[in-house]
Amino acid sequence: MVRGIADRRKRYVEVEATFLEDGSVVPRAVVWDDGRRFSVRAVLGVRACASLKVGGEGVRYDVLVGRARTFLFHEDPRWFVEEIVFEGDGTW
């Protein structure tokens, strides 16, 4: 059975990051609230931006996590992702 995307929601997450001497921040991993840890393989871009899908604004990091390209937002002082909510179960 194929489930479709019903919605997206703002999910605050823990982020492991490196703070460089010039003041820039490089996210290294995203940690889900159940303890799962996802390494950030690469940062493809960084810019000030709003999330049009779930609201909120700050610095948007265009990142590779595994083989997936996604956005990670730093809404100072917190980090969030645009979590996918599938039809029927409310989680992914």
Side-chain angles (χ1 to χ4, degrees):
M1 179 171 123
V2 176
R3 297 179 301 172
I5 296 173
D7 203 358
R8 291 186 186 258
R9 65 179 164 214
K10 185 185 286 190
R11 168 67 77 103
Y12 288 103
V13 292
E14 180 180 329
V15 171
E16 297 172 1
T18 300
F19 296 80
L20 302 180
E21 184 178 335
D22 66 2
S24 59
V25 180
V26 180
R28 301 294 184 190
V30 176
V31 182
W32 222 242
D33 59 357
D34 64 5
R36 289 180 292 164
R37 183 182 178 280
F38 301 94
S39 294
V40 174
R41 289 185 36 222
V43 176
L44 306 173
V46 180
R47 69 184 196 129
C49 187
S51 169
L52 302 177
K53 295 177 183 171
V54 298
E57 61 183 82
V59 178
R60 183 183 79 183
Y61 292 79
D62 185 359
V63 296
L64 281 178
V65 176
R67 291 185 293 179
R69 185 174 179 169
T70 190
F71 297 132
L72 175 62
F73 291 86
H74 186 218
E75 187 179 53
D76 200 21
R78 297 164 65 178
W79 294 83
F80 73 89
V81 296
E82 299 167 324
E83 180 182 22
I84 296 171
V85 179
F86 289 104
E87 291 176 357
D89 71 357
T91 61
W92 67 297

